[in-house]
Amino acid sequence: MNDRLNAILQDGENKIAEAKTVAELQDVKAALIGKQGALTEILKEVPKMEASLRAETGRAANQVKTKLTALIESRAEEIQLKASEIPPDFDVTVTGLTPPTGGLHPITQMSYDLNDTFRSMGFEIFQESDISSELYAFDNLNFPAEHPARESMDTFWLEGHDKGGGGERLCLRPHLTGASVRYMQTHKPPYRFVYPGRVYRNEATDARHERAFFQYEALIVDRDFKFSAGMVMIKSILSKVFGRDVPVRMRVGFFPFVEPGFEIDMSCLVCAGKGCSVCKNVGWIEIMPGGSPHPNVLRAAGLDPNEYTGFYVNIGLDRLVMMRYEVDDVRLFHSTDLRFLNQFA
C-alpha cells in the first residue's frame, strides 16, 4: 500500500508541475483527490483492511492528500501570477481599445426624465406589481359591472385565478390607474405622486398600439386644487421632455374614473401637425386622458369627495417617445432589432 501511495504522490507532483493553466490543474486535482481520484479510491479501501493496518494506511494516505493539496494551491497561485505578468515585448504606450458600452432603452430614458421632472415639482415615485385584481383594476375605479374592459377580449385574466370577483379575480394590470387607490389607501392626504410601469391589453398590434406597453400616471389630490393648474402641469411636463413649448388641446372625454374627463392631445411632432399615419392625418395625437378623480374613486380610497378634489393624467409613454424621436411605428421600440435600438445608446 505504501508503494501505491508513493507512486500516486510522485505522479501527482509531476502532473501538478506540468499544468500550464488553472483548467489543467483542476483536471489533475480531480484525477488525484476528486470523488473518483486515485487517492480517494485508496481511502475507500481503508475500512475494509485488517484492523492493524487501518490506522497506519489512513494516516499515510491523508499525509499524501495534504501534500498534494498544498502543491495544487501553490501551483494555482503561480499560474495566476504568471497570467497577470506583463510580457517583455508589451508596448504600454499603445492606445487601448475602448470597451463597448450600452445605453438606456429610449422608453426607460423617457421614464427617468419624467421622474426627474416630477420630483422637481415635489411628486413621489410609486410602483406596484404587474399583477392586479378586478377590485383595483375595475371595481375601485367606478367601472360598471358590465363594462367590456372586464372581458377577456380586453384584459388578460390569470388562469386558475379568473373566477369569482373582487380581490380574488387576478389579471395582468390593464392600466396603472388602480394603483392610485392602492396608494391613497396606504398614505395620508394630500397626495402628489406618479407611478410608471408596463400594462397589458389583449388587442391587435399596429403602428400605434402594442399588447404590452408603458404608461406613466400622475395624480394630485388636495382640499383646494384648481383644475386649471392641471393644464399648467401638462404643458410644463411636455416642455421639459421636448425642450420647447408643444401645442396642446383638451377635448371632452368619458372615463369611468374621472369626472369631468378629458382627452389631452399634443401636436404631432412626426409630421409637425401636417397629418401623417401616426396621427391619422389630423395633425394631433392623443397622449393622455385626464380629469378630476371621480367621487366614487375617492370614496374607494377612503376620502370624502366633498372635501377633496384633484387632477389625474395617464401619459401614454410609448407615444411620447415616438414624438420625441419622430418614429412612426411603436413596434420598433419593442423589437429586438439592434440596428434600431443602437441609435439611442
Side-chain angles (χ1 to χ4, degrees):
M1 187 60 71
N2 286 335
D3 291 341
R4 287 177 62 188
L5 290 172
N6 289 332
I8 291 172
L9 178 59
Q10 184 64 46
D11 182 55
E13 290 175 343
N14 294 335
K15 289 182 177 179
I16 291 170
E18 293 171 358
K20 297 293 188 293
T21 66
V22 173
E24 290 180 7
L25 194 59
Q26 289 298 324
D27 291 339
V28 173
K29 181 179 180 179
L32 294 173
I33 57 177
K35 290 184 178 180
Q36 305 299 325
L39 186 60
T40 306
E41 293 299 323
I42 291 180
L43 289 170
K44 291 178 181 178
E45 296 176 14
V46 171
K48 304 175 184 178
M49 295 180 179
E50 296 180 8
S52 58
L53 297 176
R54 290 176 192 167
E56 181 181 352
T57 304
R59 184 166 48 252
N62 281 317
Q63 288 175 348
V64 172
K65 184 176 181 179
T66 300
K67 290 180 181 179
L68 291 174
T69 300
L71 289 171
I72 290 170
E73 291 176 353
S74 177
R75 182 57 182 159
E77 187 176 347
E78 290 177 5
I79 292 173
Q80 291 169 351
L81 287 174
K82 188 171 183 63
S84 64
E85 290 179 355
I86 298 177
D89 59 344
F90 181 77
D91 187 354
V92 295
T93 65
V94 174
T95 304
L97 297 176
T98 302
T101 58
L104 292 175
H105 190 281
I107 295 177
T108 302
Q109 183 63 63
M110 175 69 80
S111 181
Y112 287 176
D113 291 346
L114 287 172
N115 285 349
D116 292 341
T117 300
F118 277 105
R119 282 196 186 100
S120 70
M121 295 189 290
F123 282 71
E124 180 182 347
I125 311 298
F126 174 68
Q127 291 185 319
E128 64 162 7
S129 170
D130 284 15
I131 297 177
S132 186
S133 66
E134 188 170 32
L135 175 64
Y136 282 96
F138 300 107
D139 295 345
N140 288 339
L141 299 181
N142 196 44
F143 278 79
E146 70 282 359
H147 197 284
R150 294 177 183 258
E151 302 298 327
S152 57
M153 65 180 182
D154 278 346
T155 299
F156 290 108
W157 296 101
L158 301 187
E159 185 176 359
H161 300 276
D162 54 350
K163 307 300 181 185
E168 296 180 357
R169 193 180 184 200
L170 304 182
C171 61
L172 291 177
R173 59 186 179 192
H175 45 231
L176 297 177
T177 314
S180 61
V181 175
R182 194 186 304 274
Y183 180 95
M184 289 188 286
Q185 288 175 339
T186 55
H187 295 73
K188 293 182 178 180
Y191 308 111
R192 187 181 291 256
F193 63 99
V194 297
Y195 35 109
R198 189 195 297 265
V199 299
Y200 308 86
R201 302 272 179 84
N202 187 10
E203 62 180 42
T205 62
D206 57 33
R208 300 173 68 224
H209 299 87
E210 268 286 2
R211 290 188 180 92
F213 54 97
F214 290 86
Q215 291 181 341
Y216 195 103
E217 297 201 0
L219 178 64
I220 299 174
V221 173
D222 208 335
R223 281 190 169 89
D224 184 22
F225 181 81
K226 304 299 183 185
F227 190 85
S228 58
M231 194 62 179
V232 174
M233 179 182 72
I234 293 169
K235 290 184 176 180
S236 298
I237 293 168
L238 296 178
S239 176
K240 182 76 171 179
V241 168
F242 295 105
R244 65 183 188 276
D245 290 336
V246 179
V248 176
R249 71 178 186 183
M250 297 179 71
R251 296 177 289 113
V252 175
F254 173 76
F255 305 95
F257 40 85
V258 289
E259 179 61 41
F262 297 92
E263 296 273 13
I264 302 168
D265 305 333
M266 63 174 285
S267 177
C268 180
L269 302 186
V270 175
C271 63
K274 298 177 181 178
C276 65
S277 60
V278 174
C279 62
K280 297 183 179 180
N281 296 309
V282 298
W284 296 90
I285 184 165
E286 177 193 338
I287 54 170
M288 63 184 90
S292 294
H294 194 282
N296 289 340
V297 175
L298 295 175
R299 290 189 185 99
L303 300 177
D304 184 350
N306 294 318
E307 292 185 30
Y308 289 94
T309 185
F311 192 83
Y312 152 90
V313 291
N314 176 335
I315 301 169
L317 199 59
D318 294 19
R319 292 185 184 178
L320 213 57
V321 174
M322 291 173 68
M323 295 296 99
R324 170 182 271 188
Y325 297 107
E326 300 181 11
V327 174
D328 60 3
D329 194 327
V330 69
R331 291 169 294 189
L332 292 169
F333 290 107
H334 297 274
S335 74
T336 56
D337 190 341
L338 295 181
R339 294 171 303 175
F340 174 77
L341 296 176
N342 280 338
Q343 300 175 80
F344 311 100

